[in-house]
Amino acid sequence: MTPSSFTLYITSLLWLDLTHAKIGYFWHITDLHYDPFHNSLELHRGCKHSRGSNEHSHRNGRHRDHTCDSSWPLIQSAATFMAERHPDTLEFVLWTGDILSSSMEHLSDEIKLEAVRNVTDILSRTFSSQFVFPALGHNDPPPSRKLVDMWMQWLPTEALQTFETGGYYTIEQSHSKLRIVVLNSVLWAGGAAKTDGPHRGRAQWEWLEHVLSKARRKNEMVYLVAHAGLGVEERHNAGSSSASGGGELTPTANARLLHVIRAFSDVIAGQFYGHRHADTFRLVYSEGRPVSWALLAPSLTPRGAGSVSNPGLRLYKFESNTGKVLDYTQYYLDVTNTRGEAHWAVEYNVTQYYGLREVSAVSLDNLAEKIRNYPDRTYLNKYLSALRVRHATDVSECDTACIHVHFCAITRADFHEFRSCVRNPASALASRAPHTSAAILVYAMIVLLSS
């Protein structure tokens, strides 16, 4: 075979592979924090009022407010938008927990389940031809037979068995080599110690490693899906009670998850989490090389624990045979718009926005370096704008120390490594400009003093 004919042969094989690649789409929605009392005449619990605010202003059913969790009209608007944006090749929906507002924490299980049922019904109507794969958040009812009955329309029998006992399950795609593994991160969070969580948490570890080993033997690729994922939130002191409470993984669970991801990075095609109400990503390294990535989608609720954001919805484009993520489009709703209606719009397309050739651990590692080092702050400003879903923020307030904390959070998923990373460049902490954000300054001091 001549060199030219060999080149033609290879080109034809590549073209054949491309023509057989099946492109599909899936939605990722997370952290609805539905508040059934948003329109109630009784005292509204789901809004965090500032001093002097008018509580009655939150009862009109509108969603133009960053102090409130999701109203029913907001959830309806999101469902309507997703229904209108249905690609013909939409394959499934990832729904990663915190369905209910924390304001419902002390209400009866019956009221909570009824609220979950209402949201389930609207998603069933929106995605009548697709499966929705739910993951439990720390604000949600625990696994139960009633939840099984509610979600059995989406999950096969074998998935329902592990879901009822532990809140986790796996889905084997019959038409592809992609397996979806949905974890119950609540079992690995600090609050689980108050229940029988430790026992079920250990069972989940054994189950996860068994599923990943089986996937490797069957040449499957895996999506890891959960409410809370690995790594540290920028605003928290890694390893403190604030990091392990409120649904965050404990340091021990976080370290073990990192170990599992490194061990099975060859079969993990992607990780998808919510919980932090922010648009960010995390990287996992092995022997200095980036080997896996996690994408964290922003919340539907505009209310955050520490920082607010606009509501977000995310649509992924992927190769459904292999699970390779090709792109995603982030949509958002500006809750401060004065037009009165819910106007969802494209916020950005990730490959175009960041200039990525592909979505991979290597490309996202390069992006992290650009966020930290690019001379004119182009990538940093893009990242900070996306982080809170275009909620008004002064990106100029993020100085050298602030940039470094963000970089450490993205690239140091282990709690101890994150703390070391934040402490490391003393020059970064010493070279703060006069406009240093008070939050970042206090955060850095807490990290240093608690080490």
Side-chain angles (χ1 to χ4, degrees):
M1 183 179 290
T2 65
S4 59
S5 61
F6 178 75
T7 301
L8 181 62
Y9 172 70
I10 293 298
T11 302
S12 65
L13 287 179
L14 291 173
W15 174 251
L16 186 63
D17 183 61
L18 287 172
T19 57
H20 280 76
K22 183 181 177 185
I23 304 303
Y25 294 85
F26 65 90
W27 283 104
H28 183 189
I29 55 177
T30 190
D31 293 86
L32 278 65
H33 287 260
Y34 168 44
D35 179 11
F37 302 103
H38 194 285
N39 304 327
S40 175
L41 293 179
E42 65 181 82
L43 176 63
H44 183 64
R45 303 171 181 170
C47 293
K48 184 179 180 180
H49 301 293
S50 60
R51 183 174 297 177
S53 67
N54 181 6
E55 293 180 359
H56 294 279
S57 66
H58 303 294
R59 299 178 186 166
N60 57 14
R62 295 183 300 177
H63 38 258
R64 297 201 304 269
D65 200 325
H66 282 103
T67 68
C68 296
D69 273 331
S70 297
S71 65
W72 187 246
L74 174 57
I75 292 175
Q76 286 179 313
S77 75
T80 299
F81 176 77
M82 290 186 291
E84 293 171 349
R85 289 278 172 166
H86 260 22
D88 292 337
T89 51
L90 184 70
E91 299 211 5
F92 54 84
V93 179
L94 302 181
W95 180 22
T96 53
D98 270 10
I99 304 164
L100 304 180
S101 169
S102 58
S103 65
M104 300 184 67
E105 180 180 359
H106 301 296
L107 299 180
S108 68
D109 290 343
E110 289 75 15
I111 294 177
K112 292 179 184 177
L113 285 168
E114 185 61 29
V116 172
R117 187 182 307 279
N118 290 339
V119 179
T120 298
D121 288 345
I122 198 170
L123 291 180
S124 298
R125 295 193 299 272
T126 303
F127 303 109
S128 57
S129 302
Q130 289 81 27
F131 289 99
V132 178
F133 301 135
L136 292 172
H138 60 285
N139 286 333
D140 301 328
S144 67
R145 186 65 220 179
K146 291 182 179 179
L147 270 183
V148 166
D149 293 341
M150 200 180 301
W151 290 342
M152 64 189 308
Q153 58 183 309
W154 294 321
L155 307 181
T157 302
E158 57 273 21
L160 293 173
Q161 291 171 351
T162 55
F163 175 80
E164 184 174 0
T165 57
Y168 50 87
Y169 58 92
T170 182
I171 300 292
E172 182 178 3
Q173 303 284 82
S174 59
H175 59 283
S176 72
K177 285 291 187 178
L178 175 63
R179 176 179 291 275
I180 297 173
V181 176
V182 178
L183 301 171
N184 182 3
S185 62
V186 180
L187 298 180
W188 297 336
K194 301 176 183 178
T195 66
D196 61 342
H199 171 72
R200 291 187 294 166
R202 287 191 294 272
Q204 185 174 220
W205 286 121
E206 296 170 0
W207 172 86
L208 174 60
E209 295 191 23
H210 171 75
V211 168
L212 291 175
S213 297
K214 183 178 179 181
R216 178 179 282 161
R217 292 194 302 271
K218 297 179 66 175
N219 295 317
E220 296 174 330
M221 298 303 291
V222 171
Y223 281 172
L224 290 185
V225 180
H227 174 63
L230 50 77
V232 179
E233 186 176 1
E234 294 86 349
R235 295 177 290 109
H236 286 324
N237 175 16
S240 71
S241 58
S242 62
S244 58
E248 293 280 352
L249 303 187
T250 65
T252 301
N254 185 78
R256 184 163 181 177
L257 182 57
L258 275 170
H259 174 76
V260 171
I261 291 168
R262 290 187 181 109
F264 292 95
S265 61
D266 58 314
V267 299
I268 297 174
Q271 303 171 64
F272 306 90
Y273 307 120
H275 177 59
R276 291 179 180 155
H277 298 207
D279 181 346
T280 185
F281 62 100
R282 297 292 182 261
L283 292 165
V284 178
Y285 298 82
S286 180
E287 299 180 349
R289 297 181 300 105
V291 296
S292 189
W293 52 259
L295 294 175
L296 282 66
S299 60
L300 181 66
T301 180
R303 178 184 172 187
S307 298
V308 297
S309 63
N310 282 315
L313 299 167
R314 181 171 291 181
L315 182 65
Y316 280 94
K317 178 182 179 181
F318 75 119
E319 187 177 303
S320 57
N321 290 328
T322 63
K324 179 176 176 55
V325 170
L326 304 174
D327 214 341
Y328 70 75
T329 301
Q330 184 64 47
Y331 297 95
Y332 80 110
L333 173 68
D334 182 358
V335 299
T336 62
N337 80 79
T338 58
R339 285 175 287 185
E341 77 279 4
H343 181 70
W344 289 89
V346 173
E347 182 188 3
Y348 68 87
N349 172 275
V350 71
T351 54
Q352 296 175 7
Y353 188 67
Y354 288 122
L356 303 178
R357 289 192 298 176
E358 62 176 359
V359 179
S360 68
V362 172
S363 66
L364 291 174
D365 176 62
N366 290 333
L367 174 59
E369 290 292 343
K370 289 178 180 178
I371 289 171
R372 179 175 64 163
N373 294 323
Y374 210 73
D376 65 358
R377 295 169 58 105
T378 297
Y379 292 93
L380 173 69
N381 291 344
K382 284 178 176 286
Y383 174 74
L384 294 177
S385 176
L387 185 69
R388 296 300 168 192
V389 199
R390 287 199 183 181
H391 178 62
T393 182
D394 187 355
V395 296
S396 66
E397 290 187 357
C398 190
D399 66 352
T400 304
C402 164
I403 296 169
H404 186 67
V405 170
H406 281 292
F407 176 78
C408 292
I410 292 170
T411 61
R412 304 295 189 272
D414 178 81
F415 288 9
H416 298 296
E417 290 180 4
F418 171 77
R419 288 161 59 88
S420 297
C421 179
V422 171
R423 290 197 306 264
N424 188 25
S427 59
L429 296 176
S431 62
R432 290 186 289 269
H435 57 262
T436 298
S437 139
I440 292 295
L441 178 59
V442 171
Y443 173 79
M445 291 175 63
I446 291 174
V447 171
L448 292 171
L449 291 173
S450 61
S451 60

